[in-house]
Amino acid sequence: MHSYDSVWDAIEDDPAERAALKAASATLGAINAHIRRHQWDDGEAGAQLGITRGRARQLREGAVDDFTLDELMRMAGMLGINIAVTAD
């Protein structure tokens, strides 16, 4: 049995796509942590982010495939979340 460093390593063969998924997942997690910290419901989160309640629900549910990295980065910026990119 093969061991992987992350779920993205296990399910994505393309290194560029894998890197984008890892970045999107980390950004989505930071956004969700901010939303939880402020105890916003989907309606308030949507209002703060300029998205619909349904899109906010997708965020809360961790639907990383439903958002582009650009969308997630924009939302993080709207919340004052600083995202750093590192190279290995």
Side-chain angles (χ1 to χ4, degrees):
M1 180 176 217
H2 191 276
S3 177
Y4 296 95
D5 291 333
S6 78
V7 66
W8 305 118
D9 293 331
I11 64 172
E12 182 55 59
D13 292 329
D14 178 48
E17 184 62 22
R18 187 170 49 241
L21 286 168
K22 286 180 181 181
S25 179
T27 304
L28 188 142
I31 293 167
N32 274 328
H34 186 92
I35 291 169
R36 282 192 305 275
R37 220 175 9 262
H38 287 85
Q39 300 179 347
W40 294 337
D41 62 17
D42 293 343
E44 180 62 23
Q48 294 290 328
L49 295 168
I51 59 175
T52 66
R53 179 185 306 261
R55 293 288 279 164
R57 184 182 65 251
Q58 289 175 305
L59 270 176
R60 180 177 42 80
E61 293 173 348
V64 70
D65 289 338
D66 292 337
F67 297 91
T68 67
L69 182 55
D70 286 343
E71 288 174 312
L72 293 168
M73 294 294 285
R74 181 189 57 78
M75 286 187 263
M78 292 176 74
L79 298 175
I81 299 169
N82 294 318
I83 303 295
V85 177
T86 59
D88 295 335

